[in-house]
Amino acid sequence: MPRWLPRALVLALALYACFQLGSWAFHQLVGLLVNILVAFFLALAIEPAVGRMAARGMRRGLATFLVFLAVMVVGVGFVVLLGSMLAGQIVDMFENFPKYLDSLINWINQTFRTELSRVEVQDSLLRSDWLRKYVQNSASGVLDVSATVLGGLFKLLTIFLFSFYFAADGPRLRRALCSVLPPARQSEVLRAWEIAVDKTGGYLYSRGLMALISGAAHFVLLEVLNVPYAPALAVWVGLVSQFIPTIGTYLAGALPMLIAFTENPWYALWVLVFVVIYQQFENYVLQPKLTSKTVHIHPAVAFGSVIAGTALLGAVGALIAIPAVATLQAFLGAYVKRYDVTDDPRVHGHRRYGEAVVARLQKALHHKKEREREQGGTPSGEDGT
């Protein structure tokens, strides 16, 4: 046996063990890493406001606290307002449920010539096996729902704490990062940080603008249908659909549909149709255009980055994909050497009209001279005339 073989085997086993240990640790910490990534982008989003307040003499810790406090007050107030409104609408819906059921049964009896009654329908529903199984499953799933809610609150608290530290200690973090890099690399890191702040702010600006447009469009619809609480519902649709990725659209549309149903079941259908149509318009027309102007990336790149971010990190990836890709594109653009494009008509995708006309005339004249030569005559223009 060669002398180096036992050492090579031991080294290979050690490397394999380290790889397995690192893979296990990464899978265990992937949730924390994702929360830190979201917190970092949240800190970048509030960095302009914190920087302005700190430039006026306020301590960064106090400025960060005030920004987070304002965001929390607005969020809690909005949730409390919508919660009270939703509770009142649910109570009204349950009180009017017999009336809705009677109207539905009358329509079925008139359409299909049946003789159903509300008492028979209620008895059949209460005695059905699927209702009993549903109640049992719901009772057993209360603990799972509670654990999910507590886990979500813990993740939210973790994100807020990390984002607070990132925003409050931003200059210290940048100094610590630059202290281990040579001066040439330090300027690149600071430039990348500035680009990330600018692109994240532009992304949030585009989201806020889309929330305003979405809220205005849904407000007009709800006002036309005379749905109560139209302003609050419009604000709900605008904010939830834009700042909660993936499921935000469905959450945003469910509440107006529920409240419209309490007024008229057909109103709920109209709201559903409008939400679906507007969502397609927003995904394929509005969002790419606004993103390309505020974040300065191509609409196709923005759309592809959202799909890629969703595939990699789910809802979190969809939320941070566009600012991350915009930051990377702007940072790499400084290191890609560009040249002046030649003034060739093919660059524009078509030949210019004047050049095309001249080319056709020259081609026709050339063919005419060739035919005259073949016939043995003197070509036109060569006899001095």
Side-chain angles (χ1 to χ4, degrees):
M1 180 183 297
R3 283 184 167 182
W4 55 268
L5 186 58
R7 295 180 180 178
L9 290 176
V10 172
L11 180 60
L13 291 175
L15 291 177
Y16 180 75
C18 291
F19 173 76
Q20 291 293 332
L21 180 62
S23 178
W24 172 81
F26 176 78
H27 284 88
Q28 294 296 322
L29 297 176
V30 65
L32 177 61
L33 295 177
V34 171
N35 292 338
I36 292 176
L37 183 62
V38 175
F40 178 71
F41 275 95
L42 183 59
L44 293 178
I46 66 173
E47 175 66 25
V50 175
R52 291 191 188 96
M53 298 173 69
R56 297 179 179 178
M58 186 178 297
R59 296 180 58 183
R60 287 189 65 90
L62 180 59
T64 306
F65 174 77
L66 292 178
V67 172
F68 273 107
L69 182 61
V71 173
M72 291 180 62
V73 168
V74 172
V76 171
F78 182 69
V79 170
V80 170
L81 175 63
L82 286 177
S84 60
M85 178 191 67
L86 180 60
Q89 291 298 315
I90 291 176
V91 171
D92 293 340
M93 185 179 66
F94 276 103
E95 290 179 352
N96 296 326
F97 182 77
K99 182 178 68 175
Y100 299 143
L101 187 59
D102 288 337
S103 62
L104 178 61
I105 292 174
N106 292 333
W107 179 81
I108 293 175
N109 291 334
Q110 294 176 3
T111 304
F112 301 100
R113 299 182 182 278
T114 58
E115 297 181 356
L116 298 177
S117 64
R118 179 159 58 89
V119 178
E120 295 177 354
V121 174
Q122 290 177 349
D123 291 339
S124 61
L125 289 176
L126 293 176
R127 296 175 182 176
S128 61
D129 294 334
W130 68 268
L131 181 62
R132 184 172 62 255
K133 292 180 180 179
Y134 177 78
V135 173
Q136 293 175 354
N137 294 331
S138 300
S140 62
V142 171
L143 294 178
D144 296 336
V145 173
S146 301
T148 302
V149 171
L150 291 178
L153 292 177
F154 180 75
K155 288 182 180 180
L156 188 62
L157 179 61
T158 302
I159 291 173
F160 271 100
L161 286 177
F162 275 106
S163 59
F164 179 84
Y165 291 137
F166 285 148
D169 294 338
R172 187 183 305 175
L173 180 61
R174 288 191 287 269
R175 285 196 300 268
L177 185 60
C178 292
S179 63
V180 297
L181 298 173
R185 297 297 180 185
Q186 292 179 13
S187 60
E188 294 178 1
V189 170
L190 294 176
R191 183 175 179 275
W193 195 291
E194 184 179 359
I195 291 174
V197 171
D198 180 60
K199 297 302 180 182
T200 306
Y203 174 70
L204 289 180
Y205 171 76
S206 64
R207 284 290 175 180
L209 187 58
M210 285 191 293
L212 179 62
I213 297 174
S214 176
H218 288 84
F219 172 75
V220 172
L221 173 69
L222 297 175
E223 278 291 324
V224 170
L225 297 178
N226 291 323
V227 177
Y229 308 105
L233 290 175
V235 174
W236 162 268
V237 172
L239 293 179
V240 174
S241 63
Q242 300 304 323
F243 292 99
I244 297 181
T246 307
I247 63 173
T249 302
Y250 308 105
L251 291 177
L255 183 58
M257 287 176 56
L258 177 63
I259 297 180
F261 183 82
T262 60
E263 295 295 318
N264 191 332
W266 288 106
Y267 290 174
L269 180 61
W270 282 111
V271 172
L272 175 61
V273 172
F274 182 82
V275 167
V276 172
I277 295 176
Y278 181 83
Q279 187 62 31
Q280 303 306 313
F281 167 75
E282 181 182 280
N283 289 339
Y284 296 102
V285 179
L286 185 62
Q287 179 177 349
K289 294 294 183 181
L290 289 179
T291 303
S292 63
K293 294 184 179 300
T294 56
V295 193
H296 303 291
I297 62 176
H298 194 272
V301 177
F303 186 69
S305 63
V306 171
I307 295 177
T310 305
L312 292 175
L313 297 176
V316 175
L319 184 63
I320 66 176
I322 293 180
V325 170
T327 301
L328 182 62
Q329 175 181 327
F331 183 70
L332 294 179
Y335 300 96
V336 177
K337 188 175 181 180
R338 298 183 181 274
Y339 301 92
D340 293 333
V341 180
T342 181
D343 192 13
D344 194 310
R346 290 170 293 184
V347 175
H348 305 284
H350 62 276
R351 302 189 69 180
R352 295 174 182 173
Y353 178 75
E355 294 180 354
V357 172
V358 173
R360 286 196 295 270
L361 290 175
Q362 291 177 349
K363 187 176 180 181
L365 182 60
H366 177 73
H367 286 313
K368 181 179 179 181
K369 291 181 179 180
E370 290 293 335
R371 287 195 301 268
E372 291 178 354
R373 287 194 182 98
E374 291 176 358
Q375 295 174 1
T378 302
S380 301
E382 294 184 2
D383 56 353
T385 60

